[in-house]
Amino acid sequence: MGEIYIGMNLEATRRHEKPFEWGVEKAAELGYEYIEPMVHFGRELMSEAGYYHTVSLFDDPYRVRRAAERYGLKISALSAHGPLGRPDRHGEYLKLAIRFAAECGAPMVVTDEGLKAPWTTEEEDFVLMRYTLYEAVQVAEPRGIMIGLECHAQYSKTPEGLDRIYNLVESPLIGINLDTGNAYLAGQDPYAWLEHVLDRLIHVHAKDISVEHAEAERGKVTGTPVGCACGDGVIDWARVIDILRRAPRDIVLSVECGTIEQAERSVKHLKALLGRQ
């Protein structure tokens, strides 16, 4: 059985309006073992000015590698979300993210099907998703970079829908990144879903959902950008960890919350459950 590690998705720094390196330093200060950076295509004003945490795919990937090494952290994945069913938007971005991951030291990229185009049918969407994924796999396989498919939008909001996307392209490098908070908000049982994908699971977005958020939106949405601190919401993390202990590979719980304060509470809660005080 694999080991369980704790990482910080750098979304936790977004509302603090600080650059990528600031977030890496904070993750290390809080006692995280891993980070999950986010990359964007082209140049973005707020990021270039140091007010946003994402890194451009036009930057040197060693910027990310060196920052992680400087603070003694590892990279669990690159956040590279986009609409798989829209190759014109997500095709080159995803392939570049895979190449970037290989150089910066990330073992995988995480993505999802994103919001569909309003003029395509479901049948057409799955043909387009297969096209995007097949092209991405041709870049990923020679580099040994995995592609983690996340439950996040209209088709992946159910276990059956995520399975359908997973089965579009046969490759040992395609796996599942389950987001506990998205699964819960979509009206699913996140624990049963974890069990269902355990043999294909390669990464977990550790997202908790506050009681108020759950009452307002459960069953009405397919996901949310970030959650509350792990331990403050509806997710039973002891139960999640018990399931993950039976996973066949190492799994990083990449915490997706909204602030550094929440990230601090999250890592303390998860470390206590893992016996790593």
Side-chain angles (χ1 to χ4, degrees):
M1 300 301 172
E3 297 291 329
I4 302 172
Y5 300 97
I6 308 172
M8 188 175 93
N9 186 304
L10 293 182
E11 274 285 297
T13 70
R14 175 161 53 94
R15 295 170 185 168
H16 295 276
E17 299 184 336
K18 298 291 184 180
F20 165 74
E21 286 80 6
W22 184 87
V24 178
E25 182 179 9
K26 287 297 179 184
E29 287 178 2
L30 295 178
Y32 281 92
E33 303 160 275
Y34 285 80
I35 53 169
E36 182 183 349
M38 180 187 294
V39 288
H40 66 263
F41 193 73
R43 295 295 179 184
E44 194 279 319
L45 175 62
M46 301 304 285
S47 176
E48 294 297 316
Y51 301 131
Y52 204 62
H53 67 286
T54 63
V55 174
S56 172
L57 287 170
F58 290 179
D59 283 354
D60 185 346
Y62 272 55
R63 174 189 174 188
V64 174
R65 179 189 287 267
R66 288 173 182 141
E69 290 174 348
R70 184 182 309 130
Y71 295 105
L73 297 168
K74 298 177 183 178
I75 302 167
S76 67
L78 280 189
S79 180
H81 286 277
L84 285 172
R86 304 188 72 171
D88 58 321
R89 297 191 179 188
H90 198 44
E92 294 305 318
Y93 167 73
L94 184 57
K95 287 186 283 187
L96 279 174
I98 290 166
R99 291 162 58 188
F100 194 101
E103 281 204 65
C104 80
M108 68 186 75
V109 298
V110 172
T111 190
D112 68 276
E113 84 269 29
L115 296 178
K116 72 183 299 311
W119 58 86
T120 54
T121 66
E122 180 173 323
E123 182 180 1
E124 289 168 338
D125 287 336
F126 277 85
V127 172
L128 291 166
M129 283 191 278
R130 182 175 181 273
Y131 177 90
T132 306
L133 274 176
Y134 185 86
E135 289 280 308
V137 162
Q138 305 318 298
V139 179
E141 285 189 342
R143 292 168 174 81
I145 300 299
M146 303 199 77
I147 300 171
L149 300 173
E150 181 175 336
C151 50
H152 212 322
Q154 60 277 309
Y155 298 125
S156 61
K157 65 183 179 180
T158 66
E160 297 77 18
L162 186 58
D163 285 354
R164 186 180 175 190
I165 298 171
Y166 171 84
N167 288 318
L168 285 172
V169 177
E170 185 176 350
S171 171
L173 290 179
I174 294 180
I176 300 296
N177 172 78
L178 196 82
D179 185 305
T180 53
N182 289 352
Y184 187 89
L185 283 177
Q188 304 299 318
D189 179 338
Y191 318 107
W193 204 341
L194 275 173
E195 296 272 12
H196 177 67
V197 299
L198 199 58
D199 62 334
R200 297 171 283 155
L201 193 69
I202 60 174
H203 198 251
V204 170
H205 277 171
K207 183 186 290 177
D208 211 338
I209 303 297
S210 71
V211 173
E212 296 79 12
H213 190 175
E215 289 176 348
E217 292 197 325
R218 190 175 193 205
K220 301 175 184 176
V221 297
T222 61
T224 190
V226 293
C228 63
C230 294
D232 286 0
V234 297
I235 301 297
D236 183 344
W237 293 105
R239 188 173 176 186
V240 169
I241 287 169
D242 182 61
I243 295 168
L244 295 182
R245 290 193 193 279
R246 294 183 274 108
R249 57 171 290 143
D250 293 350
I251 296 293
V252 174
L253 284 165
S254 184
V255 172
E256 275 201 342
C257 58
T259 67
I260 288 297
E261 292 74 23
Q262 291 175 354
E264 182 174 16
R265 294 203 301 279
S266 295
V267 72
K268 287 179 178 178
H269 183 71
L270 295 173
K271 279 189 172 183
L273 293 174
L274 288 167
R276 299 176 193 166
Q277 295 279 16

